[in-house]
Amino acid sequence: MSTLEFFASQTAVLATMHRKEDVIAPLLEQQLGLQIVVPQNFNTDRFGTFSREVKRAGSQLEAARIKAQAAMQATGAAIALASEGAFGPHPAMPYLPCNRELVLLLDSQNQLEIVGEALSTETNFSQTQVKTLAEALQFAERVGFPQHGLVVIAGENAGTDTVTADQIIKGIVTEAQLADALEWALAQTQTAWIETDMRAMYNPTRMQVIRQATENLIAKVKQSCPHCGRPGFEIRERKAGLPCGLCGLPTALTRAVIYRCQGCGFEQAVEFPDQVTTADPTYCSYCNP
Ligand SMILES: [Zn+2]
Ligand SMILES: [Zn+2]
């Protein structure tokens, strides 16, 4: 069976209540023939919110897995998808904010777990403390409002602390809503917090990164095991030892990657996956101790 037949005419549930199906469903239907349904009344906020009133359960990957498993249990579906986003400093350039999105596919009949990933510095993720509507409007303009939604949180320390649901107004998409929300918050304390609403349907920039992660997932699904044809034949291990360009001793840089099938265990090694056969001597513990 080819990878493309694997999911053709099958149905999967997508654990979302933030309209992620708008980008995920058409891609999976067109490219894999996988039909997507969104379960009714499936509350994904109980697994964590960006506005800090519910702490995320575990790591980003664990949270995505828990959501997909919960959607399977709630619906009895054999295939489920979930996505989970995270925002923070870029791993290599800490002064740049970045958005990492995961889209996870679980297939309980075939014991498959395939994870698509995208990392992007295209994000408006930010927050600020304001005292006036003018300050709030300045922030709003900077983050792409009203195409991108906003959140107003009441309370002096609400910028970092855990907050309660009654401190927050989310999904603000008009100036009138922003003015009302701010008036409400400023009636309680002298300053209020204003933040970008990172839920997918309020953030078209994030939606694009979810699209990239979905494309990455599809690319991984299409890489099938040369031995048994199972989807998701991907890199499972990196072997260090790229030789130093000066002295030839092995360095910590990658010399080879190992593709491994989760089904039959078939392995394939690819040497010099980064298209370089020697390492810069800067990385050599002998030449540059
Ligand atoms: Zn295999
Ligand atoms: Zn060397």
Side-chain angles (χ1 to χ4, degrees):
M1 180 165 40
S2 88
T3 314
L4 289 176
E5 289 159 31
F6 212 90
F7 294 116
S9 310
Q10 302 246 48
T11 300
V13 289
L14 172 60
T16 183
M17 55 182 221
H18 299 147
R19 301 213 59 83
K20 290 174 182 173
E21 69 273 21
D22 289 356
V23 292
I24 295 176
L27 286 169
L28 292 172
E29 289 178 9
Q30 285 156 21
Q31 305 231 24
L32 302 176
L34 185 61
Q35 303 297 311
I36 303 300
V37 291
V38 176
Q40 294 293 304
N41 307 317
F42 187 73
N43 178 9
T44 52
D45 277 353
R46 67 197 150 109
F47 304 109
T49 63
F50 293 119
S51 34
R52 299 182 295 286
E53 68 274 40
V54 187
K55 202 170 175 289
R56 186 174 71 195
S59 71
Q60 190 181 358
L61 178 60
E62 283 161 1
R65 192 181 288 134
I66 288 167
K67 273 195 273 189
Q69 285 167 343
M72 271 180 174
Q73 273 164 12
T75 60
I79 307 173
L81 288 138
S83 110
E84 181 74 18
F87 301 89
H90 191 281
M93 295 163 280
Y95 49 89
L96 271 184
C98 91
N99 173 202
R100 180 179 185 238
E101 292 293 336
L102 300 181
V103 178
L104 173 139
L105 181 148
L106 279 185
D107 177 340
S108 60
Q109 275 169 347
N110 297 294
Q111 275 89 50
L112 273 176
E113 178 182 288
I114 305 176
V115 185
E117 188 179 352
L119 187 69
S120 176
T121 53
E122 287 291 313
T123 177
N124 67 345
F125 175 64
S126 53
Q127 61 166 198
T128 193
Q129 209 170 10
V130 297
K131 287 191 169 109
T132 62
L133 178 60
E135 287 174 353
L137 287 169
Q138 221 169 23
F139 174 85
E141 194 179 338
R142 190 159 61 73
V143 298
F145 178 80
Q147 292 78 20
H148 294 76
L150 296 173
V151 172
V152 165
I153 308 180
E156 295 282 348
N157 303 316
T160 47
D161 289 3
T162 310
V163 295
T164 53
D166 60 4
Q167 276 178 277
I168 312 174
I169 296 178
K170 298 191 203 181
I172 298 166
V173 291
T174 68
E175 244 183 81
Q177 288 172 341
L178 181 57
D180 286 350
L182 210 64
E183 196 184 341
W184 164 82
L186 290 176
Q188 302 173 50
T189 47
Q190 288 197 328
T191 61
W193 286 90
I194 177 169
E195 301 184 359
T196 45
D197 194 328
M198 300 317 292
R199 291 175 297 165
M201 81 279 216
Y202 289 106
N203 203 300
T205 301
R206 179 177 174 219
M207 209 60 121
Q208 289 311 311
V209 186
I210 295 173
R211 179 196 302 273
Q212 290 164 24
T214 308
E215 281 165 353
N216 180 249
L217 171 73
I218 290 168
K220 284 185 176 177
V221 167
K222 286 182 174 175
Q223 275 172 239
S224 57
C225 171
H227 185 67
C228 74
R230 183 187 168 93
F233 191 62
E234 61 174 297
I235 296 170
R236 300 281 170 196
E237 205 182 322
R238 290 183 175 270
K239 296 241 187 254
L242 189 66
C244 168
L246 202 59
C247 73
L249 284 174
T251 67
L253 298 190
T254 302
R255 182 198 166 90
V257 291
I258 313 290
Y259 286 78
R260 187 178 300 126
C261 177
Q262 283 180 300
C264 73
F266 179 79
E267 279 188 358
Q268 208 166 49
V270 175
E271 292 236 294
F272 310 121
D274 303 319
Q275 275 76 50
V276 286
T277 52
T278 57
D280 189 292
T282 331
Y283 299 101
C284 177
S285 54
Y286 179 72
C287 298
N288 187 27

Short mmCIF file of all heavy atoms in Angstrom, two decimals, residues 11-54:
data_model
loop_
_atom_site.label_atom_id
_atom_site.label_comp_id
_atom_site.label_asym_id
_atom_site.label_seq_id
_atom_site.Cartn_x
_atom_site.Cartn_y
_atom_site.Cartn_z
N THR A 11 -11.55 8.98 7.99
CA THR A 11 -12.01 10.18 8.67
C THR A 11 -11.20 10.37 9.96
O THR A 11 -10.92 9.40 10.66
CB THR A 11 -13.50 10.08 9.01
OG1 THR A 11 -14.22 9.91 7.78
CG2 THR A 11 -14.01 11.33 9.70
N ALA A 12 -10.81 11.61 10.19
CA ALA A 12 -10.09 11.93 11.42
C ALA A 12 -10.81 13.04 12.16
O ALA A 12 -11.42 13.90 11.55
CB ALA A 12 -8.67 12.38 11.08
N VAL A 13 -10.70 13.01 13.50
CA VAL A 13 -11.25 14.13 14.28
C VAL A 13 -10.12 15.11 14.57
O VAL A 13 -8.98 14.72 14.79
CB VAL A 13 -11.90 13.68 15.61
CG1 VAL A 13 -13.19 12.96 15.36
CG2 VAL A 13 -10.95 12.84 16.44
N LEU A 14 -10.46 16.38 14.52
CA LEU A 14 -9.49 17.43 14.82
C LEU A 14 -9.93 18.12 16.11
O LEU A 14 -11.01 18.68 16.18
CB LEU A 14 -9.42 18.43 13.66
CG LEU A 14 -8.60 19.70 13.89
CD1 LEU A 14 -7.14 19.38 14.18
CD2 LEU A 14 -8.69 20.62 12.67
N ALA A 15 -9.06 18.03 17.11
CA ALA A 15 -9.38 18.61 18.42
C ALA A 15 -9.12 20.11 18.39
O ALA A 15 -8.00 20.55 18.62
CB ALA A 15 -8.53 17.95 19.50
N THR A 16 -10.13 20.89 18.09
CA THR A 16 -9.97 22.34 18.11
C THR A 16 -11.30 23.01 18.38
O THR A 16 -12.36 22.46 18.03
CB THR A 16 -9.40 22.88 16.78
OG1 THR A 16 -9.21 24.30 16.90
CG2 THR A 16 -10.32 22.61 15.59
N MET A 17 -11.25 24.17 19.00
CA MET A 17 -12.46 25.01 19.05
C MET A 17 -12.09 26.42 18.60
O MET A 17 -12.82 27.37 18.84
CB MET A 17 -13.07 25.00 20.44
CG MET A 17 -12.14 25.39 21.55
SD MET A 17 -13.02 25.27 23.12
CE MET A 17 -12.45 26.72 23.95
N HIS A 18 -10.93 26.52 17.95
CA HIS A 18 -10.45 27.83 17.50
C HIS A 18 -10.29 27.89 15.97
O HIS A 18 -9.40 28.56 15.47
CB HIS A 18 -9.13 28.18 18.21
CG HIS A 18 -9.27 28.28 19.70
ND1 HIS A 18 -8.26 27.93 20.57
CD2 HIS A 18 -10.32 28.67 20.48
CE1 HIS A 18 -8.68 28.12 21.83
NE2 HIS A 18 -9.91 28.55 21.78
N ARG A 19 -11.10 27.14 15.27
CA ARG A 19 -11.19 27.17 13.80
C ARG A 19 -9.89 26.80 13.09
O ARG A 19 -9.63 27.24 11.98
CB ARG A 19 -11.68 28.54 13.31
CG ARG A 19 -13.06 28.93 13.86
CD ARG A 19 -13.86 29.75 12.87
NE ARG A 19 -14.08 29.03 11.62
CZ ARG A 19 -15.05 28.14 11.44
NH1 ARG A 19 -15.88 27.84 12.39
NH2 ARG A 19 -15.17 27.55 10.26
N LYS A 20 -9.07 25.95 13.71
CA LYS A 20 -7.84 25.51 13.05
C LYS A 20 -8.14 24.67 11.82
O LYS A 20 -7.30 24.51 10.94
CB LYS A 20 -6.98 24.70 14.03
CG LYS A 20 -6.37 25.56 15.13
CD LYS A 20 -5.65 24.69 16.14
CE LYS A 20 -5.08 25.55 17.26
NZ LYS A 20 -4.52 24.70 18.34
N GLU A 21 -9.38 24.11 11.77
CA GLU A 21 -9.76 23.31 10.60
C GLU A 21 -9.70 24.14 9.32
O GLU A 21 -9.53 23.59 8.23
CB GLU A 21 -11.14 22.67 10.79
CG GLU A 21 -12.34 23.63 10.78
CD GLU A 21 -12.66 24.21 12.15
OE1 GLU A 21 -11.76 24.22 13.02
OE2 GLU A 21 -13.81 24.67 12.35
N ASP A 22 -9.82 25.47 9.45
CA ASP A 22 -9.79 26.32 8.26
C ASP A 22 -8.51 26.13 7.45
O ASP A 22 -8.53 26.18 6.22
CB ASP A 22 -9.91 27.80 8.65
CG ASP A 22 -11.32 28.14 9.15
OD1 ASP A 22 -12.19 27.25 9.09
OD2 ASP A 22 -11.54 29.28 9.60
N VAL A 23 -7.37 25.94 8.13
CA VAL A 23 -6.13 25.70 7.38
C VAL A 23 -5.75 24.22 7.33
O VAL A 23 -5.20 23.75 6.35
CB VAL A 23 -4.92 26.50 7.93
CG1 VAL A 23 -5.09 27.98 7.70
CG2 VAL A 23 -4.63 26.20 9.38
N ILE A 24 -6.06 23.47 8.39
CA ILE A 24 -5.60 22.06 8.45
C ILE A 24 -6.43 21.16 7.53
O ILE A 24 -5.88 20.34 6.79
CB ILE A 24 -5.64 21.55 9.91
CG1 ILE A 24 -4.63 22.34 10.76
CG2 ILE A 24 -5.35 20.06 9.97
CD1 ILE A 24 -4.63 21.98 12.25
N ALA A 25 -7.75 21.31 7.56
CA ALA A 25 -8.62 20.37 6.85
C ALA A 25 -8.43 20.35 5.33
O ALA A 25 -8.26 19.27 4.76
CB ALA A 25 -10.08 20.62 7.21
N PRO A 26 -8.41 21.53 4.66
CA PRO A 26 -8.27 21.47 3.19
C PRO A 26 -6.97 20.81 2.75
O PRO A 26 -6.95 20.04 1.78
CB PRO A 26 -8.29 22.95 2.76
CG PRO A 26 -8.78 23.72 3.92
CD PRO A 26 -8.59 22.89 5.15
N LEU A 27 -5.87 21.06 3.48
CA LEU A 27 -4.58 20.47 3.10
C LEU A 27 -4.59 18.95 3.22
O LEU A 27 -4.14 18.23 2.33
CB LEU A 27 -3.46 21.04 3.98
CG LEU A 27 -3.03 22.48 3.68
CD1 LEU A 27 -2.13 23.02 4.78
CD2 LEU A 27 -2.32 22.54 2.33
N LEU A 28 -5.15 18.46 4.33
CA LEU A 28 -5.16 17.01 4.54
C LEU A 28 -6.12 16.32 3.58
O LEU A 28 -5.85 15.21 3.12
CB LEU A 28 -5.54 16.69 5.99
CG LEU A 28 -4.50 17.09 7.03
CD1 LEU A 28 -5.05 16.90 8.43
CD2 LEU A 28 -3.22 16.30 6.87
N GLU A 29 -7.22 17.00 3.25
CA GLU A 29 -8.18 16.40 2.32
C GLU A 29 -7.60 16.34 0.92
O GLU A 29 -7.68 15.32 0.24
CB GLU A 29 -9.50 17.18 2.35
CG GLU A 29 -10.25 16.93 3.66
CD GLU A 29 -11.56 17.70 3.82
OE1 GLU A 29 -12.02 18.31 2.83
OE2 GLU A 29 -12.12 17.66 4.92
N GLN A 30 -6.96 17.46 0.50
CA GLN A 30 -6.41 17.50 -0.85
C GLN A 30 -5.21 16.57 -1.01
O GLN A 30 -5.06 15.89 -2.01
CB GLN A 30 -5.98 18.93 -1.22
CG GLN A 30 -7.15 19.86 -1.53
CD GLN A 30 -6.78 21.32 -1.29
OE1 GLN A 30 -5.61 21.68 -1.28
NE2 GLN A 30 -7.78 22.16 -1.11
N GLN A 31 -4.33 16.57 -0.01
CA GLN A 31 -3.04 15.88 -0.19
C GLN A 31 -3.05 14.42 0.26
O GLN A 31 -2.28 13.62 -0.24
CB GLN A 31 -1.96 16.63 0.58
CG GLN A 31 -1.92 18.09 0.14
CD GLN A 31 -0.52 18.52 -0.23
OE1 GLN A 31 0.32 17.69 -0.58
NE2 GLN A 31 -0.27 19.80 -0.16
N LEU A 32 -3.92 14.09 1.24
CA LEU A 32 -3.92 12.71 1.73
C LEU A 32 -5.27 12.03 1.56
O LEU A 32 -5.40 10.84 1.83
CB LEU A 32 -3.54 12.68 3.22
CG LEU A 32 -2.18 13.28 3.61
CD1 LEU A 32 -2.02 13.25 5.12
CD2 LEU A 32 -1.03 12.55 2.94
N GLY A 33 -6.28 12.79 1.17
CA GLY A 33 -7.62 12.21 1.05
C GLY A 33 -8.27 11.95 2.40
O GLY A 33 -9.26 11.25 2.50
N LEU A 34 -7.68 12.53 3.45
CA LEU A 34 -8.19 12.33 4.80
C LEU A 34 -9.27 13.37 5.10
O LEU A 34 -9.04 14.57 4.99
CB LEU A 34 -7.02 12.48 5.79
CG LEU A 34 -7.27 12.20 7.26
CD1 LEU A 34 -7.72 10.75 7.48
CD2 LEU A 34 -6.00 12.47 8.06
N GLN A 35 -10.47 12.88 5.46
CA GLN A 35 -11.59 13.77 5.77
C GLN A 35 -11.51 14.20 7.23
O GLN A 35 -11.28 13.37 8.10
CB GLN A 35 -12.94 13.05 5.54
CG GLN A 35 -13.12 12.51 4.14
CD GLN A 35 -13.15 13.61 3.09
OE1 GLN A 35 -13.86 14.60 3.24
NE2 GLN A 35 -12.35 13.45 2.03
N ILE A 36 -11.73 15.48 7.48
CA ILE A 36 -11.61 16.01 8.84
C ILE A 36 -12.97 16.39 9.40
O ILE A 36 -13.75 17.07 8.73
CB ILE A 36 -10.71 17.27 8.84
CG1 ILE A 36 -9.33 16.96 8.25
CG2 ILE A 36 -10.58 17.86 10.25
CD1 ILE A 36 -8.56 15.89 8.98
N VAL A 37 -13.24 15.93 10.61
CA VAL A 37 -14.43 16.41 11.31
C VAL A 37 -14.01 17.04 12.63
O VAL A 37 -13.03 16.60 13.26
CB VAL A 37 -15.48 15.29 11.58
CG1 VAL A 37 -16.12 14.81 10.29
CG2 VAL A 37 -14.86 14.14 12.33
N VAL A 38 -14.74 18.07 13.03
CA VAL A 38 -14.44 18.75 14.29
C VAL A 38 -15.53 18.37 15.28
O VAL A 38 -16.71 18.60 15.02
CB VAL A 38 -14.39 20.28 14.10
CG1 VAL A 38 -14.18 20.99 15.43
CG2 VAL A 38 -13.28 20.65 13.11
N PRO A 39 -15.16 17.73 16.39
CA PRO A 39 -16.20 17.32 17.35
C PRO A 39 -16.91 18.52 17.96
O PRO A 39 -16.29 19.56 18.20
CB PRO A 39 -15.42 16.55 18.42
CG PRO A 39 -13.99 16.90 18.24
CD PRO A 39 -13.81 17.37 16.84
N GLN A 40 -18.22 18.38 18.17
CA GLN A 40 -19.01 19.45 18.78
C GLN A 40 -18.71 19.52 20.27
O GLN A 40 -18.45 18.50 20.91
CB GLN A 40 -20.51 19.14 18.60
CG GLN A 40 -20.97 19.18 17.15
CD GLN A 40 -20.89 20.58 16.57
OE1 GLN A 40 -21.49 21.51 17.11
NE2 GLN A 40 -20.16 20.75 15.47
N ASN A 41 -18.75 20.71 20.81
CA ASN A 41 -18.61 20.92 22.26
C ASN A 41 -17.35 20.31 22.84
O ASN A 41 -17.36 19.81 23.96
CB ASN A 41 -19.83 20.35 23.01
CG ASN A 41 -21.13 20.87 22.45
OD1 ASN A 41 -21.24 22.05 22.16
ND2 ASN A 41 -22.10 20.00 22.27
N PHE A 42 -16.28 20.31 22.07
CA PHE A 42 -15.03 19.76 22.59
C PHE A 42 -14.19 20.93 23.09
O PHE A 42 -13.69 21.74 22.32
CB PHE A 42 -14.29 18.99 21.49
CG PHE A 42 -13.08 18.27 21.99
CD1 PHE A 42 -13.19 17.12 22.76
CD2 PHE A 42 -11.80 18.74 21.70
CE1 PHE A 42 -12.07 16.47 23.25
CE2 PHE A 42 -10.68 18.09 22.17
CZ PHE A 42 -10.82 16.95 22.95
N ASN A 43 -14.06 21.02 24.43
CA ASN A 43 -13.39 22.18 25.03
C ASN A 43 -11.88 21.94 25.13
O ASN A 43 -11.42 21.18 25.98
CB ASN A 43 -13.98 22.44 26.42
CG ASN A 43 -13.30 23.60 27.10
OD1 ASN A 43 -12.49 24.32 26.50
ND2 ASN A 43 -13.61 23.79 28.37
N THR A 44 -11.12 22.60 24.26
CA THR A 44 -9.65 22.43 24.31
C THR A 44 -9.01 23.38 25.31
O THR A 44 -7.86 23.20 25.66
CB THR A 44 -9.02 22.65 22.92
OG1 THR A 44 -9.48 23.90 22.39
CG2 THR A 44 -9.39 21.54 21.97
N ASP A 45 -9.75 24.39 25.79
CA ASP A 45 -9.17 25.34 26.75
C ASP A 45 -8.82 24.67 28.08
O ASP A 45 -7.97 25.16 28.82
CB ASP A 45 -10.14 26.50 27.03
CG ASP A 45 -10.03 27.58 25.96
OD1 ASP A 45 -9.12 27.49 25.11
OD2 ASP A 45 -10.85 28.53 25.98
N ARG A 46 -9.47 23.53 28.37
CA ARG A 46 -9.14 22.87 29.64
C ARG A 46 -7.73 22.29 29.62
O ARG A 46 -7.19 21.88 30.64
CB ARG A 46 -10.18 21.78 29.96
CG ARG A 46 -10.16 20.60 29.00
CD ARG A 46 -11.45 19.79 29.12
NE ARG A 46 -11.80 19.15 27.87
CZ ARG A 46 -11.70 17.83 27.67
NH1 ARG A 46 -11.26 17.04 28.61
NH2 ARG A 46 -12.04 17.32 26.50
N PHE A 47 -7.09 22.23 28.43
CA PHE A 47 -5.72 21.72 28.33
C PHE A 47 -4.68 22.86 28.38
O PHE A 47 -3.50 22.63 28.20
CB PHE A 47 -5.53 20.91 27.05
CG PHE A 47 -6.51 19.78 26.93
CD1 PHE A 47 -7.54 19.82 25.99
CD2 PHE A 47 -6.41 18.68 27.76
CE1 PHE A 47 -8.45 18.79 25.89
CE2 PHE A 47 -7.32 17.64 27.67
CZ PHE A 47 -8.34 17.69 26.73
N GLY A 48 -5.16 24.08 28.59
CA GLY A 48 -4.24 25.20 28.69
C GLY A 48 -4.68 26.37 27.82
O GLY A 48 -5.25 26.16 26.75
N THR A 49 -4.42 27.59 28.31
CA THR A 49 -4.74 28.78 27.52
C THR A 49 -3.53 29.70 27.48
O THR A 49 -2.70 29.69 28.38
CB THR A 49 -5.92 29.58 28.15
OG1 THR A 49 -5.52 30.04 29.43
CG2 THR A 49 -7.17 28.73 28.25
N PHE A 50 -3.45 30.52 26.43
CA PHE A 50 -2.35 31.48 26.32
C PHE A 50 -2.53 32.63 27.31
O PHE A 50 -1.57 33.27 27.69
CB PHE A 50 -2.27 32.04 24.89
CG PHE A 50 -1.88 31.02 23.88
CD1 PHE A 50 -2.71 30.69 22.84
CD2 PHE A 50 -0.66 30.37 23.98
CE1 PHE A 50 -2.35 29.74 21.90
CE2 PHE A 50 -0.27 29.42 23.05
CZ PHE A 50 -1.13 29.11 22.01
N SER A 51 -3.78 32.88 27.72
CA SER A 51 -4.04 34.02 28.60
C SER A 51 -3.88 33.65 30.08
O SER A 51 -4.32 34.39 30.95
CB SER A 51 -5.39 34.63 28.28
OG SER A 51 -6.32 33.65 27.87
N ARG A 52 -3.27 32.46 30.33
CA ARG A 52 -2.77 32.10 31.67
C ARG A 52 -3.82 31.74 32.72
O ARG A 52 -3.48 31.60 33.88
CB ARG A 52 -1.85 33.20 32.23
CG ARG A 52 -0.61 33.46 31.41
CD ARG A 52 0.27 34.50 32.05
NE ARG A 52 -0.34 35.81 32.12
CZ ARG A 52 -0.51 36.62 31.07
NH1 ARG A 52 -0.08 36.25 29.88
NH2 ARG A 52 -1.09 37.79 31.21
N GLU A 53 -5.11 31.60 32.36
CA GLU A 53 -6.05 31.18 33.40
C GLU A 53 -6.07 29.66 33.56
O GLU A 53 -6.50 29.15 34.59
CB GLU A 53 -7.46 31.76 33.16
CG GLU A 53 -8.22 31.24 31.97
CD GLU A 53 -7.90 31.97 30.68
OE1 GLU A 53 -6.72 32.30 30.46
OE2 GLU A 53 -8.84 32.17 29.88
N VAL A 54 -5.58 28.93 32.53
CA VAL A 54 -5.40 27.48 32.64
C VAL A 54 -3.98 27.15 32.20
O VAL A 54 -3.57 27.48 31.09
CB VAL A 54 -6.39 26.69 31.74
CG1 VAL A 54 -6.27 25.19 32.02
CG2 VAL A 54 -7.82 27.15 31.95
#
